[in-house]
Amino acid sequence: MFLINCPYCGERDQQEFKAGGEAHIERPKQPTELSDDEWAEYLFMRKNIKGIQFERWNHAHGCRKWFNMVRDTSNDEIKAIYKMGEKPPAQ
Amino acid sequence: MNKNLRVKSSEYIDETNRISFKFNGKTYHGFKGDTLASALLANDVHLVGRSFKYHRPRGIMTSGSEEPNAIVQINPNTNRTEPNVRATEVEIYEGLEASSQNCWPSVDFDIGGINNFLSPFFPAGFYYKTFMWPASFWEKYEFFIRHSAGLGKSPTSSDPDIYDHRNIHCDVLVVGAGISGILAAKNAAKNNFKTLLVDEKNELGGSTVYENNEFNKINNKTSSEWLKKEIEELKNIKNLEIKTRTSVAAYHQYNYLLARENLTDHLEAKDKTNKIRQRLLKIRAKKVILATGALERPLIFNNNDRPGIMLSSAIKKYSEFYGVACGSKNVFFTNNDSAYESAMSLYNKGINVKAIIDIREQSESKIVKKVKEAGIKIYWSHSIVDTTGYKRLNSISIMKLSNDGTSVTGSKISISCDCLGVAGGWTPAVHLYTQSGSKLKFDEEKKIFLPNQNTSEQISVGSCGGDFKIDEIIKNLNQKLKDTLNINETDLDSIKVEIDQENSKRNIWLLPSDKPLGKTKPFVDYQNDATAKDIKLALREGFRSIEHVKRYTTTGMGTDQGKLGNMHALGIIADTAGVKMGDLGTTTFRPPYTPLTFGTIVGRNVGKFFDIFRRTPINDWHVENKAEFENVGQWKRAWYYPINGETMHQAVQRESKAARESAGILDASTLGKIDIQGSDASEFLNRVYTNAWSKLAIGKCRYGLMLNEDGMVYDDGVTTRLGENHYIMTTTTGGAANVLGKLEDYLQTEWPELDVYLTSVTDHYATASLCGPNSKKILKKIIPDLDLSDENFPHMSFKEAHIGNIQCRIMRISFTGEHSYEINVQASYGKDLWEKCMEAGQEFDITPYGTETMHLLRAEKGFIIVGQDTDGTMTPIDLQMDWIVSKKKYDFIGKRSLYRSDTMREDRKQLVGLLTDDPNIVLEEGSQIVSELNQNPVEMLGHVTSSYFSPNLNKSIALAVVRGGKGMMGKKLFVPMENKNINVTVANPVFYDEKNERLNA
């Protein structure tokens, strides 16, 4: 059970949060211009890394804000947490 | 039997408080403070159970939670019965009953004992190898295997006890209240750390409180004397919470630990009622100090499992702590000095110790000299090669060990005895440590796994950290405390320790016998009857990974998780395969450390709290009017209102007819309602719904369909424009929370530039949906001053009005195809509104209807229900709802996916109507649809999603999804059922009032 440092509320138990998959996948601004393959790349293709992974999380049972997390999936260590729109920390 | 083996009064046993209890139907006596195990031993009862596979008689081996053999059923045949309980952990109380498990008809005469004589035929993997063929026989095999397996019986009636959960946040959690834990907790609390100290036992102090070795002194006192004073001082320390009878079950990441606090298990039945039995503590600690101690290892030799063979440390605890002698002719078998302390403990109480068998060549420690002075015979370099005694040990045979320890020589000496204490050294209890994700390393010299790489803020102190001697314990504890708590001094700085110097040990994982291994039974896992030869067999058959050997031989897979024998299993594998133990690694230590009851895990979430439910403000009326309810998401919704003993079918037919012929009323309060405001609200709706919203006039309503980005229908509902920048969106009942979440996600992450604010107002409003040709007249009676003409208040529009003083929002929208109004009022007025409608509708026989009738009425109109007629794989085009998908809008969620090659396939499953050729047959929802009956395998074209008997059309109607269904209008298909094939025809999904004339009737 992680202890997650919500950038708006502080440290809270994992059960207050919802994981939202890979981060930094921007919705295409002009979807109609894309080929089926390009759209599928956005729609379906997600990484599943053993190691450092960038993820979206939502404080669903708290402030309901979305934010980003850098997590090492091999040992679940949370390396960094930053707000939506902010640049990911340098590796 | 029934001898009294009580040897000396102990301060932990209250001999003025005599307690009677039953074991296997026979009454015994013990004292307050006894465990079931100590009380049985005091009555000279050693035989307490039968082993799992061979049904060999087994006795009490230990004095703690690591017990593999003495597992019993507590209070059998009551609603408080509990299986697989360790007799060593049960505190006795007046009226306690316990019985042996895994034996029939009794522990004294167990028919399964024949397995012991058949054991040559039950090697490792016996079941895997034997019951393989013929494969079809497995079901028959399984019946017998299941009956012969199984430890204990689960209760058959509901649990009368209350359980609880508690969250605890602390600076420092100390697990284990032995000497290290007590000193750690004391110093943490004194330095202003909010500290919690837990221990699984009922008394603090661990093994040190009965440690009376005169050669080990702390500040010139024996360690037990000294520690008792320290314990006394704990009471006056602030910031320190102490919980006894509290066992840490799991240590998760981020210092999150679960512990079970036992509150009433030691009380008599009359004192248990209306109290919390067990509490699950959910502990989040900034720092964790593990002081879980060490477990004594047995020695692995031929027939090492007979009742009367115990751990040497357990014999000492029974003697010193409980005042019980485990036997009258005691022998010890050891590879280190521990057994000598136990022997002296017995000797000092006048209990006979016949001999000590030591596999070492010698030891020079003071305690050994003391034993020699006491005249106890010591056999150096000897090993036990066999034991006798079926239900109780009665002799051992020993022989001289060869220098390399792999064989025995010379002549056999037989020693008669009724109790044998084995001492194989100590294994640090690192279970919790590894559960936290931290890594171990193997110490080749000490032959133990030690904490190595911590993953969270934690330290392991005392013997679980590898320190066994009191001077090392205190010195290392002191340094670790200073480092982890960042303090300069502790009260350990001034402690003076004297110790007995010798610390030699000779480690042999599997002791030799004069017989070949195949003819011996050296048990490694007592509970699962896995022997050293099973492990060697597994290696011969090619198993190498410790995880595989474990599963093949079942070593370490019992309820005790192999706390005693796992190290020996590893050692034997390493020796046999010629690898280093450190390279072999360990099997995974999984939570819980000791079993938890289901009650503790579930806590208060039982009965009506099992799953929370929501009721509408009108609920009381439905209950008073005998509605049947159904669960929709977490909501309890009125399903139908049977009168005069109607069946569901009869009630729904009546309600459906009434709604179309005169007037019906539905509680629609559960629909999700999201208040949307902001200057970009219209743009936002444009992006989330498939149709266009910019031109919707204020005061008008529009139906919207929401897709996922993959183009599949996600939710639907009517949204009303209340003002220039203000909308109220309705969602499906079950989808409300997810829709809000999805909208928030897009607003926060993809379109943060939009000025839009979302508020869930589902619970703020109660909604009565009034429908039918007389609905207008009823509403007129309630709100006489509201102009209900089609010109002023047309279909798909909205009015604010007042009913008396109550403000209400009225939408003229319809899910039934009838002229209808949805009246929303503040939730607290919901029942009042409903009753006003019922009163006004009386002259029109207004009929309350439930969700089932609502479903039927909308199916007559071919309206979909998201989640019933869709399943996350249906696009609006599949649903024949092309009309709602804007061609003009540049983008909306899911738009691009509607033009993917896969979503544009002609042969996708599409929503159609189905009519049965026989209008009286109602199809089963979910039944399959085919076009050919004689195909093999038959091709499935789709399935029925909604099906009803329509009273208004007087025939059966159904909605279905059928591959390529759009092009099949009028085609004959079949619905094959178990006993018959039903002929159906594909039809228009709108069955009733295709031209929507009734909306304005």
Side-chain angles (χ1 to χ4, degrees):
Chain A
M1 194 76 84
F2 305 168
L3 190 63
I4 297 173
N5 192 5
C6 169
Y8 304 92
C9 308
E11 286 190 336
R12 294 290 190 278
D13 195 280
Q14 185 185 344
Q15 66 181 8
E16 294 183 15
F17 296 84
K18 197 173 84 175
E22 193 180 338
H24 303 298
I25 295 179
E26 201 181 340
R27 187 175 187 273
K29 291 273 183 285
Q30 296 173 317
T32 45
E33 316 285 306
L34 301 181
S35 69
D36 268 13
D37 283 351
E38 287 166 332
W39 180 247
E41 183 67 31
Y42 159 70
L43 195 56
F44 301 120
M45 298 307 171
R46 296 294 182 270
K47 293 188 195 107
N48 186 13
I49 298 163
K50 183 181 179 186
I52 300 294
Q53 183 159 287
F54 294 78
E55 301 174 332
R56 289 157 20 99
W57 283 76
N58 179 228
H59 196 184
H61 298 283
C63 64
R64 294 193 65 82
K65 285 284 196 183
W66 284 90
F67 57 88
N68 294 313
M69 179 191 288
V70 186
R71 182 170 67 100
D72 186 335
T73 59
S74 66
N75 60 11
D76 282 333
E77 196 182 322
I78 297 170
K79 301 282 189 187
I81 282 175
Y82 51 102
K83 292 179 182 174
M84 279 293 157
E86 288 180 356
K87 285 233 152 42
Q91 300 236 355
Chain B
M1 274 223 197
N2 254 8
K3 270 192 295 190
N4 185 358
L5 289 174
R6 207 57 78 161
V7 283
K8 173 193 147 253
S9 63
S10 154
E11 63 190 284
Y12 297 102
I13 297 294
D14 177 5
E15 293 196 30
T16 63
N17 194 344
R18 192 162 178 262
I19 287 168
S20 61
F21 65 97
K22 278 187 179 173
F23 181 65
N24 286 336
K26 195 172 165 187
T27 301
Y28 296 94
H29 298 282
F31 298 114
K32 184 84 191 149
D34 265 326
T35 61
L36 180 58
S38 70
L40 286 172
L41 289 169
N43 286 284
D44 203 23
V45 177
H46 273 258
L47 172 61
V48 291
R50 292 272 178 164
S51 69
F52 191 60
K53 193 160 142 192
Y54 303 136
H55 292 250
R56 283 169 69 102
R58 291 281 164 80
I60 298 157
M61 269 206 86
T62 73
S63 58
S65 58
E66 71 272 34
E67 177 61 37
N69 287 342
I71 56 175
V72 296
Q73 181 99 23
I74 293 294
N75 297 320
N77 306 317
T78 71
N79 54 4
R80 283 205 169 94
T81 194
E82 192 180 342
N84 297 336
V85 178
R86 292 151 302 284
T88 48
E89 289 197 299
V90 177
E91 296 173 50
I92 60 164
Y93 51 83
E94 192 64 37
L96 170 74
E97 286 193 38
S99 64
S100 301
Q101 297 183 162
N102 200 35
C103 53
W104 184 84
S106 78
V107 71
D108 266 320
F109 177 73
D110 175 21
I111 284 178
I114 190 128
N115 286 3
N116 184 36
F117 302 104
L118 299 176
S119 65
F121 306 108
F122 286 125
F126 170 74
Y127 289 87
Y128 303 128
K129 289 166 184 163
T130 310
F131 297 108
M132 290 297 290
W133 11 253
S136 61
F137 264 44
W138 169 247
E139 280 180 27
K140 289 193 176 61
Y141 291 141
E142 190 188 16
F143 177 83
F144 286 102
I145 294 169
R146 294 257 180 246
H147 276 252
S148 62
L151 293 163
K153 292 190 178 74
S154 49
T156 51
S157 51
S158 71
D159 189 333
D161 283 315
I162 307 165
Y163 299 83
D164 198 16
H165 286 185
R166 182 185 156 193
N167 288 298
I168 296 180
H169 296 265
C170 59
D171 295 325
V172 176
L173 170 69
V174 183
V175 185
I179 183 166
S180 312
I182 285 171
L183 294 176
K186 189 179 169 191
N187 281 287
K190 275 186 167 175
N191 284 285
N192 293 322
F193 291 93
K194 190 184 160 200
T195 305
L196 174 65
L197 171 64
V198 301
D199 194 277
E200 60 182 0
K201 297 273 187 340
N202 59 331
E203 296 282 354
L204 299 179
S207 62
T208 311
V209 286
Y210 54 88
E211 183 59 72
N212 295 318
N213 183 338
E214 62 193 287
F215 304 112
N216 292 336
K217 292 256 169 97
I218 306 175
N219 289 348
N220 294 322
K221 295 191 174 105
T222 63
S223 35
S224 73
E225 268 180 294
W226 182 81
L227 186 64
K228 280 172 198 165
K229 254 192 70 211
E230 291 288 309
I231 293 171
E232 205 48 40
E233 283 175 27
L234 288 181
K235 287 174 192 157
N236 305 320
I237 298 178
K238 278 187 223 160
N239 292 323
L240 176 61
E241 187 178 1
I242 300 173
K243 286 190 174 294
T244 53
R245 299 188 177 100
T246 300
S247 164
V248 173
Y251 186 166
H252 296 295
Q253 300 157 313
Y254 294 87
N255 278 351
Y256 183 69
L257 295 92
L258 298 174
R260 187 252 299 120
E261 184 183 16
N262 215 331
L263 298 159
T264 67
D265 275 359
H266 59 293
L267 302 177
E268 289 179 44
K270 68 178 168 62
D271 296 325
K272 288 184 203 281
T273 43
N274 295 325
K275 284 187 187 144
I276 293 164
R277 179 190 168 199
Q278 293 175 344
R279 187 183 277 133
L280 186 71
L281 306 179
K282 303 172 175 180
I283 307 165
R284 186 75 80 169
K286 294 210 174 84
K287 294 169 199 288
V288 174
I289 298 178
L290 293 173
T292 47
L295 302 174
E296 190 168 39
R297 293 178 192 170
L299 291 165
I300 310 302
F301 55 97
N302 184 24
N303 285 321
N304 58 344
D305 66 326
R306 301 191 187 281
I309 301 180
M310 305 175 69
L311 294 182
S312 138
S313 59
I315 292 176
K316 180 163 105 183
K317 178 158 189 185
Y318 287 116
S319 151
E320 296 281 347
F321 190 88
Y322 297 105
V324 172
C326 295
S328 41
K329 290 181 288 178
N330 297 283
V331 174
F332 289 91
F333 184 26
T334 188
N335 69 1
N336 69 91
D337 281 351
S338 301
Y340 293 82
E341 292 183 358
S342 304
M344 279 317 294
S345 164
L346 296 189
Y347 176 83
N348 289 337
K349 292 185 171 55
I351 306 163
N352 174 275
V353 180
K354 291 184 74 170
I356 295 182
I357 323 298
D358 198 322
I359 66 172
R360 296 177 299 178
E361 277 157 21
Q362 58 161 2
S363 167
E364 295 299 326
S365 67
K366 292 176 188 160
I367 189 87
V368 171
K369 284 185 186 134
K370 189 94 182 165
V371 166
K372 281 182 190 159
E373 282 163 30
I376 297 168
K377 170 89 178 144
I378 303 172
Y379 294 90
W380 297 107
S381 290
H382 271 71
S383 180
I384 298 181
V385 295
D386 203 356
T387 65
T388 65
Y390 187 55
K391 290 179 203 163
R392 177 72 184 267
L393 179 71
N394 71 44
S395 81
I396 58 169
S397 320
I398 64 171
M399 288 173 80
K400 185 115 175 89
L401 258 179
S402 64
N403 286 341
D404 65 357
T406 58
S407 59
V408 283
T409 57
S411 55
K412 214 185 271 187
I413 305 167
S414 178
I415 303 170
S416 86
C417 57
D418 61 357
C419 184
L420 173 70
V422 290
W426 296 83
T427 302
V430 292
H431 308 69
L432 293 175
Y433 176 81
T434 57
Q435 280 180 27
S436 74
S438 298
K439 298 278 179 266
L440 299 170
K441 70 157 191 256
F442 190 70
D443 183 322
E444 288 289 348
E445 190 199 331
K446 291 182 178 171
K447 299 283 179 205
I448 51 177
F449 282 97
L450 286 175
N452 188 31
Q453 252 181 301
N454 298 354
T455 54
S456 60
E457 282 225 44
Q458 57 169 307
I459 48 172
S460 293
V461 299
S463 55
C464 75
D467 299 328
F468 295 100
K469 299 198 93 48
I470 203 81
D471 56 338
E472 288 169 9
I473 290 173
I474 291 189
K475 186 175 131 236
N476 291 333
L477 171 64
N478 198 11
Q479 195 53 50
K480 285 177 182 173
L481 280 179
K482 285 175 179 173
D483 292 345
T484 193
L485 301 179
N486 204 10
I487 51 179
N488 293 326
E489 53 185 51
T490 70
D491 53 10
L492 278 64
D493 292 335
S494 57
I495 292 176
K496 286 193 185 65
V497 181
E498 292 166 39
I499 59 147
D500 195 358
Q501 284 304 326
E502 179 74 22
N503 194 19
S504 72
K505 187 183 162 184
R506 182 182 188 188
N507 202 80
I508 301 173
W509 294 115
L510 172 60
L511 290 158
S513 170
D514 55 331
K515 291 181 197 157
L517 182 65
K519 301 244 187 261
T520 62
K521 283 211 180 65
F523 287 92
V524 175
D525 181 316
Y526 298 85
Q527 196 173 98
N528 274 349
D529 275 345
T531 66
K533 63 184 174 189
D534 292 323
I535 292 169
K536 293 207 172 200
L537 176 68
L539 289 165
R540 273 208 309 281
E541 292 186 359
F543 292 91
R544 285 295 174 271
S545 152
I546 173 67
E547 296 282 2
H548 291 157
V549 174
K550 166 182 165 177
R551 280 156 186 78
Y552 192 56
T553 61
T554 72
T555 301
M557 288 173 71
T559 59
D560 62 333
Q561 296 270 292
K563 290 187 181 76
L564 291 190
N566 274 352
M567 283 301 291
H568 303 85
L570 288 170
I572 292 166
I573 294 168
D575 285 353
T576 309
V579 294
K580 282 189 168 173
M581 281 184 77
D583 298 337
L584 203 55
T586 63
T587 54
T588 313
F589 297 96
R590 289 198 179 80
Y593 180 64
T594 50
L596 290 174
T597 59
F598 282 111
T600 311
I601 295 165
V602 173
R604 302 267 175 172
N605 300 326
V606 289
K608 62 180 176 178
F609 299 122
F610 175 66
D611 192 15
I612 58 163
F613 56 87
R614 302 165 82 182
R615 288 184 294 217
T616 77
I618 310 167
N619 186 72
D620 287 352
W621 192 94
H622 307 318
V623 173
E624 282 157 27
N625 288 275
K626 308 278 186 297
E628 292 290 332
F629 288 84
E630 75 165 331
N631 297 329
V632 182
Q634 288 170 330
W635 290 97
K636 298 279 177 200
R637 291 198 74 175
W639 194 9
Y640 58 97
Y641 301 80
I643 47 178
N644 301 327
E646 280 176 325
T647 62
M648 171 163 155
H649 177 74
Q650 290 164 336
V652 169
Q653 296 289 303
R654 169 181 54 76
E655 291 171 12
S656 302
K657 261 185 112 59
R660 294 230 187 271
E661 287 171 4
S662 178
I665 185 168
L666 170 83
D667 181 355
S669 309
T670 63
L671 284 181
K673 293 173 273 289
I674 300 170
D675 185 274
I676 302 174
Q677 300 193 40
S679 56
D680 293 317
S682 301
E683 171 61 19
F684 181 62
L685 290 174
N686 269 333
R687 296 187 191 185
V688 299
Y689 277 132
T690 60
N691 46 352
W693 290 79
S694 311
K695 287 180 186 152
L696 183 70
I698 294 170
K700 296 291 181 198
C701 314
R702 183 164 288 173
Y703 174 74
L705 202 58
M706 195 181 290
L707 310 185
N708 261 333
E709 206 67 271
D710 61 5
M712 304 304 156
V713 171
Y714 184 67
D715 201 74
D716 69 345
V718 170
T719 295
T720 303
R721 189 166 197 175
L722 301 174
E724 177 62 30
N725 298 321
H726 191 187
Y727 291 84
I728 181 108
M729 172 189 280
T730 57
T731 72
T732 57
T733 296
N738 289 335
V739 169
L740 179 70
K742 180 181 159 90
L743 299 184
E744 286 178 331
D745 186 352
Y746 274 91
L747 265 184
Q748 289 180 34
T749 65
E750 298 294 351
W751 309 318
E753 71 280 6
L754 293 187
D755 174 39
V756 176
Y757 301 89
L758 305 172
T759 312
S760 168
V761 292
T762 304
D763 292 331
H764 299 53
Y765 291 95
T767 309
S769 177
L770 199 55
C771 96
N774 287 317
S775 57
K776 190 171 175 178
K777 291 175 201 158
I778 296 168
L779 188 61
K780 190 75 194 166
K781 282 176 74 180
I782 304 170
I783 315 178
D785 53 350
L786 181 63
D787 179 0
L788 295 180
S789 67
D790 287 345
E791 295 71 43
N792 183 57
F793 197 178
H795 181 58
M796 297 308 273
S797 66
F798 157 84
K799 293 286 174 214
E800 284 220 36
H802 284 81
I803 304 174
N805 290 327
I806 312 171
Q807 196 191 8
C808 55
R809 289 172 167 177
I810 307 171
M811 283 88 165
R812 188 174 160 192
I813 52 179
S814 177
F815 192 41
T816 59
E818 296 297 318
H819 189 128
S820 69
Y821 301 93
E822 280 188 8
I823 312 165
N824 296 274
V825 295
Q826 191 184 312
S828 49
Y829 295 114
K831 196 173 166 223
D832 189 55
L833 165 74
W834 183 274
E835 282 165 347
K836 282 200 166 67
C837 291
M838 289 304 296
E839 196 186 321
Q842 206 171 11
E843 61 175 296
F844 305 102
D845 282 332
I846 188 170
T847 301
Y849 65 91
T851 49
E852 193 63 22
T853 292
M854 174 187 82
H855 286 179
L856 190 159
L857 294 172
R858 64 87 206 178
E860 289 178 339
K861 288 292 297 171
F863 294 152
I864 59 156
I865 289 186
V866 173
Q868 175 159 348
D869 302 298
T870 73
D871 59 1
T873 67
M874 303 294 287
T875 69
I877 319 302
D878 298 336
L879 294 168
Q880 307 213 38
M881 291 173 77
D882 313 47
W883 55 271
I884 203 171
V885 180
S886 166
K887 302 272 186 300
K888 291 181 192 153
K889 282 200 293 181
Y890 181 70
D891 191 15
F892 56 81
I893 297 173
K895 172 165 175 153
R896 176 61 186 84
S897 291
L898 298 179
Y899 303 98
R900 291 179 59 235
S901 56
D902 182 58
T903 41
M904 286 169 69
R905 277 189 296 118
E906 296 284 314
D907 64 343
R908 290 177 61 83
K909 283 185 188 164
Q910 291 146 354
L911 187 81
V912 294
L914 277 192
L915 290 171
T916 48
D917 291 3
D918 176 347
N920 292 314
I921 296 178
V922 180
L923 297 171
E924 274 185 40
E925 286 173 0
S927 44
Q928 308 287 293
I929 299 161
V930 302
S931 61
E932 291 288 334
L933 287 170
N934 298 321
Q935 252 178 349
N936 194 9
V938 65
E939 187 191 8
M940 195 272 270
L941 291 180
H943 65 276
V944 177
T945 59
S946 296
S947 175
Y948 306 91
F949 186 84
S950 160
N952 299 303
L953 297 159
N954 201 27
K955 65 178 179 188
S956 150
I957 55 167
L959 298 173
V961 292
V962 177
R963 198 173 299 151
K966 278 189 204 174
M968 285 189 184
M969 196 61 68
K971 189 172 162 69
K972 298 275 181 196
L973 296 173
F974 307 97
V975 174
M977 298 301 289
E978 202 173 5
N979 303 315
K980 61 183 173 192
N981 296 310
I982 302 167
N983 298 333
V984 296
T985 306
V986 178
N988 182 342
V990 184
F991 301 100
Y992 188 77
D993 185 27
E994 212 176 317
K995 293 180 178 156
N996 292 327
E997 286 160 345
R998 301 186 63 85
L999 286 173
N1000 294 312

